[in-house]
Amino acid sequence: MNDWPQGWPDDNRGTGYGRGSAGPQPENARVMRQVRRGPAAPPGGGHQAPPYGVPQQPSYVDGRGHDGHNDYDSGYNTGQVYGNHGGRGPGGPGDGSGMYAPRPAPDWRRRIKVTSITVVTVLVVTLVGTYFWADSKLNRDVDLSKVIDRPEKGEGTNYLIVGSDSREGMSAEEKKKLHTGSADGKRTDSMMLLHTGDNGPTLISLPRDSDVEIPTFVGSESGKRYEGTGRHVKLNAAYAEDGPELLVRTVEFNTGLHIDHYVEIGFAGFANIVDAVGGVEMDIPQDIKDTKSGADFKKGKQTLNGEEALAFVRTRYALAGSDLDRTKNQQKFLSALANQVATPGTVLNPFKLYPTMGAGLDSLVVDKDMGLFDLADMFWAMKGVSGGDGKSMNIPISGSSGGNLVWDEAKVKTLVEQLNNDEKVTVSGD
């Protein structure tokens, strides 16, 4: 049976050149069989056999067959000449339309989740690393377990904050620059009680010239017991005699207030903290000039660097109230410093935060039970005092005796009761 269109001789089949052909001509020269869609042409129906045995090619009119009907498919329109899909050669992508398949839409939910997890992980690692770094820098040299016969603990937390005149680690040039002198040993230049609780913070200055009794105590180094003899001295003498432990013992004995934590800073450390934070703005109420402390200030607002700040808090001879006025300046400055440290510009700026923390932690001496959260509580409480959320005062004074400032016993008793009960403080001091 002859499958070829009518009029095409069978011998044309014998000269096929295509794949598998034994003919001498290359494959790309073969005559491609055309595809006709629809019913075959009727016998004798108008199509004549082409000359030389070559089938007549259809006319390409409007991309269709020669008769104007869309019954012709050459295979070129869809790129399927070689029998693959996609129109981009063998194995090309696509859906047979000649176009690339669309790229899948990004999975934003997954991307956001991965990014969030990464950010949280980095933040946690940074915070944990910072905590352990800062915790390792605290100098926990004060052992309050050596303090004997302590009062019962009340409500809230009490900090004893001490500014010492320690010159440890300072060069001769630094001592000259900061007007510290070259005295050996350590004495207290300022002492403050800070109470934190539910009724806001209370900051109470204890003048260094306060008249106090030295009670029975156990030596911090010798472990020897020293019986009290009723001896009265200035408060700063207790520190000079046996350091922080005796100072805590003396404050507790003369007030009846339990001290929870001890914090001390020296001259150099104080100046370094102020410089690290970029200075502290102060509104100085009067002109001050004091050759002993190095203070030389004009009245009004100004930003104090470390050297100037140290001179400001140490000045007393140029003030009418001497030590009592100095304690007020110390309270004002420390509150302003805490407020500056706690600003977003310091806390959120690592280039300022880490130098400030490094300078502060390196220079602080604290008790063995002091933690970073306790230290943060102390700074936030001092910030609250400067912001008006707390109260600052001197311990009530009734007069003086032999150059010592005598406390008002009745007012001090009321004050201590209110602090122990974490009540709002109604007592006032000079």
Side-chain angles (χ1 to χ4, degrees), residues 171-295:
S171 65
E173 183 178 351
E174 288 174 327
K175 292 177 183 178
K176 181 178 180 180
K177 178 182 178 181
L178 298 177
H179 300 272
T180 64
S182 300
D184 295 328
K186 293 194 301 183
R187 284 158 293 277
T188 53
D189 234 33
S190 62
M191 289 157 286
M192 299 180 190
L193 281 170
L194 174 66
H195 174 85
T196 64
D198 295 334
N199 284 290
T202 303
L203 186 62
I204 307 164
S205 286
L206 308 176
R208 57 180 288 175
D209 293 339
S210 295
D211 186 83
V212 294
E213 179 182 340
I214 298 293
T216 299
F217 69 97
V218 173
S220 58
E221 296 295 333
S222 66
K224 182 179 178 180
R225 184 181 179 90
Y226 297 89
E227 296 295 333
T229 60
R231 171 169 60 104
H232 280 245
V233 297
K234 292 182 178 181
L235 182 58
N236 65 337
Y239 181 94
E241 186 172 333
D242 197 49
E245 288 83 2
L246 179 56
L247 178 61
V248 171
R249 169 73 175 126
T250 302
V251 170
E252 289 187 341
F253 177 81
N254 285 270
T255 63
L257 194 65
H258 182 93
I259 303 300
D260 297 290
H261 293 294
Y262 177 91
V263 182
E264 177 186 327
I265 187 169
F267 281 164
F270 180 84
N272 289 339
I273 293 175
V274 175
D275 286 335
V277 82
V280 176
E281 185 179 80
M282 290 293 299
D283 188 0
I284 299 180
Q286 65 184 73
D287 292 349
I288 299 176
K289 189 173 183 62
D290 185 355
T291 56
K292 290 190 176 182
S293 68

Side-chain angles (χ1 to χ4, degrees), residues 26-40:
E27 185 178 0
N28 60 358
R30 74 180 178 178
V31 177
M32 300 180 59
R33 295 164 59 182
Q34 305 305 311
V35 179
R36 178 182 295 275
R37 295 178 178 175

Side-chain angles (χ1 to χ4, degrees), residues 82-106:
Y82 295 101
N84 57 32
H85 297 284
R88 297 291 176 177
D95 56 2
S97 65
M99 303 296 292
Y100 279 105
R103 178 178 295 179

